[in-house]
Amino acid sequence: MGGDHGPHVTVPAALRCLSRSPDLNVILVGPQDVVAAELKACRAKPTPRLIVRHASQVVAMDEPPALALRGKKDSSMRVSVDLVKSGEADACVSAGNTGALMATARFVLKTLPGIDRPAIATVMPTIKGHALVLDLGANVDCTAEHLLQFGIMGAMLVSAVEHNPNPSVGLLNIGEEDIKGNEMVKRAAELLRDSHLNFYGNVEGNDIFKGTTDVVVCDGFVGNVTLKASEGLAKMISTILRAEFKRNWRTRLAGLLALPVLNTFKRRLDPRRFNGATLLGLRGVVIKSHGSADRFSFEHAIDTAADEVRNNVLKRIADQIQLSQRVTA
């Protein structure tokens, strides 16, 4: 029910994923009449692989997380997370209120053993493909130990889903030198360097897009600013290119000739292909879709959840955290 478009996006996206993935089962959670109407509009109906679960309440996109957590225990978001808690569902995917989803998931599912705080992780496009960046806003204030945990969780996610046995991990900093950064970041670098991870060292903001490392670790304040600045830059470039190609008949002709290259460029940087941020560190797979996601974007978020379940990401993270604790001890 969440996001800018609600079931008009989520239901068709789920149906599309079901048609592509024979091993997938979906539970659509929301007011029964609303979901049924959307299924009818899509010429679909419930099946053993497509179940509708009624929820009488909906969390608004601008609703304070605390109010949603305390006052809407039968919201579509809460019921979805409860299904993961009970084991009836393996993962939850939502385009709803980010703060409410994080608060609800953390309250209901709790964190994995050895994890102090969950982190928001998503992939960002690079010259080489993409890099996983975390945290992107769940934790504004972090300790060095938190950043170490983020590094472990990120590395295990990349290792599992991308079948990369030894992903490289970089620590986002204001310079590559060991003397750069505040005391918390310097301490985090020491912990990462002493860990079993393939720690590259400090990386700067431009290293994200160079693809210098497979995983980039930072606190939620820095990560969220980085993400939003990147989204703004991409939108600015797109707007300027479109305006310049429309300037006169010569530029329109040049744009027509450059159309194949521009289309390829657009596909490579299409944010819809990277939709679906993971709330890492919880005792369950929870994926946050962008609120403005269209059907293609939401499909990708569902695929992300399915991939993490198929590759047993939670167990990999739990095992590596235990290993890290033994090494530290």
Side-chain angles (χ1 to χ4, degrees), residues 38-281:
E38 189 60 40
L39 283 173
K40 184 177 180 180
C42 296
R43 298 181 180 180
K45 59 183 179 180
T47 68
R49 294 181 58 211
L50 180 66
I51 300 170
V52 178
R53 181 63 60 89
H54 177 66
S56 62
Q57 298 172 306
V58 175
V59 176
M61 293 298 285
D62 58 351
E63 193 164 345
L67 292 180
L69 183 61
R70 292 197 302 266
K72 292 189 173 179
K73 297 182 180 180
D74 195 44
S75 68
S76 54
M77 183 180 292
R78 177 63 179 267
V79 173
S80 298
V81 176
D82 283 342
L83 289 172
V84 176
K85 171 71 172 180
S86 67
E88 189 172 343
D90 296 302
C92 165
V93 184
S94 172
N97 184 315
T98 303
L101 181 63
M102 175 61 85
T104 301
R106 187 172 182 180
F107 175 78
V108 173
L109 299 176
K110 313 304 182 190
T111 57
L112 289 167
I115 298 294
D116 297 322
R117 298 181 182 180
I120 300 176
T122 194
V123 294
M124 296 177 65
T126 72
I127 294 173
K128 299 178 181 179
H130 57 259
L132 183 77
V133 184
L134 71 164
D135 176 31
L136 294 177
N139 306 282
V140 174
D141 298 308
C142 293
T143 65
E145 287 72 19
H146 293 150
L147 295 186
L148 171 63
Q149 293 171 13
F150 297 167
I152 294 172
M153 292 191 295
M156 290 307 100
L157 177 57
V158 171
S159 177
V161 174
E162 300 182 17
H163 308 290
N164 180 347
N166 194 31
S168 56
V169 178
L171 178 64
L172 192 59
N173 202 345
I174 58 173
E176 296 181 356
E177 300 84 358
D178 292 341
I179 61 172
K180 293 291 183 67
N182 56 33
E183 293 305 315
M184 185 272 289
V185 172
K186 291 178 184 177
R187 174 58 181 160
E190 293 176 2
L191 294 177
L192 287 163
R193 193 172 294 110
D194 292 339
S195 72
H196 60 281
L197 298 175
N198 178 16
F199 182 53
Y200 174 88
N202 292 329
V203 295
E204 298 181 79
N206 58 345
D207 283 302
I208 296 175
F209 305 103
K210 289 180 182 177
T212 301
T213 60
D214 300 306
V215 180
V216 177
V217 175
C218 57
D219 64 55
F221 184 92
V222 172
N224 192 265
V225 171
T226 300
L227 177 65
K228 296 301 172 60
S230 303
E231 291 175 345
L233 176 61
K235 185 174 293 186
M236 183 193 73
I237 291 173
S238 175
T239 302
I240 291 176
L241 280 174
R242 191 177 297 111
E244 289 301 319
F245 278 122
K246 291 181 178 180
R247 185 176 294 277
N248 54 54
W249 70 269
R250 292 186 181 86
T251 58
R252 288 176 184 273
L253 178 59
L256 186 61
L257 294 173
L259 194 58
V261 175
L262 292 173
N263 285 337
T264 300
F265 174 78
K266 182 180 179 180
R267 282 194 297 271
R268 287 188 63 179
L269 298 183
D270 187 352
R272 301 180 305 163
R273 295 177 54 242
F274 304 98
N275 182 50
T278 304
L279 306 190
L280 269 181

